[in-house]
């Protein structure tokens, strides 16, 4: 394959496919972890239009790789050369994408603090020699940054379009209301429809997205169409598919206010860049050209798009707390926190403070009272294990095993007990043992079920087809505090089979004695579930030279939330030969009291291990 020619940024933005290009870094975001296994770094390259905002006329580049060392460590004013970068359209804008599977070579040219020193040159992911034309083009761009850096030489021009924080207060009073003519609305009054202005306090911002910025705004008025945010008093597990808690009504480290007082605002360029640079949590801002719309998950949200007539105009202004327009807002804020306690400027500090207060309360134990034993081995739950979203309240292992719901009363004072119920639970457990003792036996061969099995005209053959199926059992225990040191935790056997086992492991069953790769994948998955439990059992078997039952007293496994089904199977207890009802199916005939001919069992479902 012939080598690609080196093209400028403008040409690169007009083409599609693979090409070589070079430019100056005018904007860069820190590396972030994707939903998969890769890490992504995003930066913008330019070779002209340095007097315009960073997003104007530049090529945005997204570089993905599993290894941080393979990513280009680009900084502002560096010159970056890219070989065989693929240009695609993303959000109607040309974007250079280097995927995990593409070999995109990069070179970074960086000026040294000493003007007499030669610039440093770094190449990667694997070092390679540069062509003379490539080096010459990069050094020419680097020379432009010597007297006036591209990332800063455009500031005078940008000040006209992007007001600085110190200028906002004076400018907003004369232009915000008169020039736009849009009504200034309270959050309690906004609804999907025309554009409005909103004045509020920034509760929180999310700047991880390179295309936009998410801002949460409140003016301490309530709107029934907003999400009801509750206090983060409990450490609950999220549900599968809800990574950012969009569906949850609890927001971690949320500083307040709570309730339906906060609206989500999506800021697009150029407003997103201004917000990342100048806006901080807790400040007052005025959105002068805001669109209210229906949210993706119901309710309402706001958005500030690029002005189609004045593309560089910023519709986001920082307002002083002493501004006359903020007088009513500050009064509402003061009254709210007078009722709900003192606000916290730093959510993380607030979270630490709450934990310290809770710790002090636990230390205040009455004289003669013994402290409760905490769940072992750790306080945190396993975040790699997720459950489906079920509207079932969490229950403890003790509650489930007690079978309190099995006892029923009917009119006439008659009380009876059910042997089992077909019900579902959600509970937090920790694995303490498993069966079979060898992972190679976790998959077994079973006859393949046929859709013709019930057809009399298609009798089963003498040698049915066989297939592999997951079939194993976990011994789990609860994580609730014990009332005394002598108390023993309740334990439960959880059977894991069939499709639910595939859902748990995300692996198809096979002959594990022949497929060592699948056995290794299974071992890695189960290590997430039960920690070093298998290793400790293997060490004990090696030391003692026996395979007798043994379970370690302490492992590195973490508690996790799981879904459990209760069901019943015919009992296997010894039968009473004198029982006259043995010939009638479904009637009790065993020697165990309160058996009713059924055994109560539990199986795991709707739970997944995420690597």
């Amino acid at each position: 394959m012939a080598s690609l020619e080196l093209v400028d940024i403008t040409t690169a933005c007009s083409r599609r496919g693979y090409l070589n290009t070079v430019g100056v870094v005018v904007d860069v975001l820190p590396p972030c972890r994707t939903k998969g296994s890769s890490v992504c770094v995003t930066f913008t390259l330019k070779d002209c239009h340095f007097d315009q905002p960073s997003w104007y006329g530049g090529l945005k580049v997204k570089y993905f790789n599993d290894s941080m060392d393979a990513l280009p460590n680009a900084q502002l004013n560096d010159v970056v050369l890219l070989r065989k970068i693929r240009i695609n359209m993303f959000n109607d804008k040309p974007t250079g994408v280097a995927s995990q599977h593409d070999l995109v070579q990069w070179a970074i040219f960086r000026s040294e603090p000493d003007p007499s020193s030669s610039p440093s040159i770094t190449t990667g992911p694997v070092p390679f020699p540069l062509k003379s034309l490539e080096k010459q083009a990069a050094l020419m761009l680097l020379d432009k940054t010597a007297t006036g850096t591209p990332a800063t030489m455009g500031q005078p021009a940008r000040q006209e379009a992007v007001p600085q924080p110190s200028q906002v207060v004076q400018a907003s009073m004369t232009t915000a209301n008169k020039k736009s003519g849009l009504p200034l609305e309270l959050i309690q009054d906004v609804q999907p429809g025309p554009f409005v202005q909103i004045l509020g306090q920034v509760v929180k911002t999310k700047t991880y997205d390179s295309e936009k910025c998410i801002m949460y705004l409140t003016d301490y008025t309530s709107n029934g169409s907003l999400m009801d945010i509750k206090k983060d008093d409990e450490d609950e597990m999220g549900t599968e598919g809800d990574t950012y808690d969009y569906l949850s009504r609890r927001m971690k480290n949320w500083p307040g206010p709570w309730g339906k007082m906060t609206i989500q605002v999506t800021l697009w360029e150029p407003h997103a860049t201004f917000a990342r640079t100048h806006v901080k949590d807790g400040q007052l801002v005025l959105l002068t050209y805001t669109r209210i719309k229906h949210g993706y998950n119901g309710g309402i949200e706001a958005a500030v798009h690029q002005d189609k007539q004045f593309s560089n105009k910023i519709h986001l202004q920082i307002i002083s707390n002493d501004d006359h327009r903020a007088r009513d807002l500050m009064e509402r804020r003061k009254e709210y926190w007078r009722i709900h306690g003192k606000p916290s400027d730093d959510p993380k500090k607030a979270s630490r403070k709450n934990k310290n207060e809770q710790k002090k309360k636990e230390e205040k134990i009455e004289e003669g009272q013994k402290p409760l034993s905490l769940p072992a081995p750790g306080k945190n739950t396993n975040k790699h294990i997720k459950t489906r979203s079920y509207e079932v309240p969490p229950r403890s292992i003790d509650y489930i095993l007690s079978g309190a719901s099995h006892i029923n009363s009917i009119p006439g004072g008659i009380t009876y007990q059910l042997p089992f119920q077909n019900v579902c639970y959600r509970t937090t457990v920790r694995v303490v043992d498993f069966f079979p003792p060898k992972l190679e036996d976790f998959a077994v061969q079973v006859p393949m079920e046929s859709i013709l099995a019930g057809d009399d005209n298609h009798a089963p053959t003498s040698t049915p087809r066989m297939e592999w199926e997951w079939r194993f059992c976990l011994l789990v225990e609860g994580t609730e505090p014990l009332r005394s040191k002598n108390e023993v935790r309740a334990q439960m056997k959880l059977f894991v089979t069939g499709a639910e086992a595939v859902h748990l492991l995300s692996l198809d069953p096979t002959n594990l004695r022949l497929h060592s790769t699948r056995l290794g994948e299974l071992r890695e998955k189960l290590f997430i579930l039960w920690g070093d439990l298998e290793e400790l059992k293997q060490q004990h078997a090696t030391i003692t030279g026996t395979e007798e039952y043994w379970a370690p007293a302490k492992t590195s496994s973490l508690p996790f939330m799981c879904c459990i089904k209760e069901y019943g199977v015919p009992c296997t207890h010894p039968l009473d030969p004198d029982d006259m009802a043995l010939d009638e199916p479904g009637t009790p005939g065993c020697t165990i009291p309160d058996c009713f001919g059924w055994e109560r069992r539990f199986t795991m479902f709707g739970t997944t291990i995420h690597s």
Side-chain angles (χ1 to χ4, degrees), residues 151-289:
T152 58
M153 66 172 58
Q155 289 301 323
R158 293 174 66 179
Q159 286 179 356
E160 299 175 4
V162 184
Q164 299 301 317
S166 60
Q167 301 172 341
V168 170
V169 178
Q170 293 79 2
S172 61
M173 295 179 61
T174 58
T175 62
N177 295 325
K178 295 180 181 179
K179 196 168 184 178
S180 64
L182 297 177
L184 181 62
E185 298 283 358
L186 295 174
I187 289 179
Q188 67 181 11
D189 300 325
V190 297
Q191 56 184 352
F195 288 86
V196 297
Q197 297 186 87
I198 299 179
L199 174 64
Q201 179 185 0
V202 179
V203 181
K204 213 170 188 179
T205 55
K206 294 182 179 180
T207 59
Y208 53 81
D209 197 305
S210 61
E211 301 292 331
K212 60 182 180 291
C213 175
I214 304 298
M215 174 185 294
Y216 294 94
L217 200 68
T218 182
D219 64 0
Y220 295 91
T221 64
S222 181
N223 189 312
S225 299
L226 297 176
M227 181 175 64
D228 187 9
I229 303 176
K230 297 182 179 180
K231 289 188 177 181
D232 189 20
D233 293 334
E234 299 178 1
D235 184 16
E236 295 186 354
M237 290 285 290
T239 57
E240 183 177 355
D242 187 20
T243 307
Y244 297 102
D245 289 331
Y246 290 141
L247 303 179
S248 174
R249 295 185 181 274
R250 295 190 195 303
M251 305 275 290
K252 290 185 178 180
N253 296 327
W254 187 259
W258 297 273
K260 300 182 178 182
M261 289 187 169
T262 306
I263 188 169
Q264 176 181 310
V265 183
T266 303
L267 302 173
W268 298 92
E269 295 293 359
H271 321 291
T273 299
F274 178 81
R276 294 190 195 101
T277 307
H278 300 296
V279 178
K280 298 180 180 179
D281 295 352
Q283 287 184 322
L284 302 184
V285 296
L286 175 66
L287 306 180
T288 60
Y289 200 68

Side-chain angles (χ1 to χ4, degrees), residues 360-497:
K360 290 180 180 179
K361 290 180 181 180
E362 294 174 356
E363 291 176 352
K364 293 181 179 179
I365 303 173
E366 295 182 4
E367 184 177 358
Q369 180 181 356
K370 295 183 179 180
L372 296 179
S373 301
L374 295 178
K379 299 180 292 183
N380 299 327
T381 53
N382 196 330
K383 304 301 182 182
H384 296 285
I385 301 177
K386 301 289 186 179
T387 64
R388 298 173 189 168
S389 179
Y390 290 105
E391 296 298 327
V392 179
R395 299 291 188 182
S396 65
I397 290 289
D398 289 329
Y399 174 85
I400 298 174
L401 294 177
S402 68
S405 61
H406 293 191
I407 301 175
N408 295 278
S409 299
I410 60 176
I414 300 175
T415 301
Y416 65 95
Q417 181 177 357
L418 299 173
F420 69 92
Q421 286 182 302
N422 293 320
V423 293
C424 299
Y425 305 97
R426 287 175 63 235
T427 185
T428 301
V429 299
R430 186 174 66 91
V431 179
V432 295
D433 202 0
F434 58 86
F435 184 86
K438 293 184 178 181
L439 298 192
E440 291 86 344
D441 300 323
F442 272 38
V444 298
Q445 273 193 309
V446 295
M448 182 179 294
E449 295 183 2
S450 172
I451 59 175
L452 302 176
D455 194 341
D456 295 337
N457 297 328
H458 296 79
T461 62
S462 58
T463 57
R465 296 177 58 188
M466 306 295 287
E467 63 178 352
W468 289 94
E469 179 180 89
W470 294 118
R471 188 173 294 178
F472 55 94
C473 180
L474 303 175
L475 182 64
V476 300
E477 66 180 16
T479 61
E480 297 76 25
L482 299 177
R483 288 180 290 272
S484 67
K485 292 183 178 180
N486 297 327
E487 186 178 2
V488 180
R489 293 187 182 278
Q491 295 183 337
M492 171 192 292
K493 292 180 181 179
L494 279 183
F495 294 90
V496 189
T497 61

Side-chain angles (χ1 to χ4, degrees), residues 37 87 105 131 250 286 410 414 484 489 528 530 548:
S37 60
I87 308 299
Q105 295 177 319
K131 298 179 181 179
R250 295 190 195 303
L286 175 66
I410 60 176
I414 300 175
S484 67
R489 293 187 182 278
I528 300 175
W530 61 42
E548 294 181 357

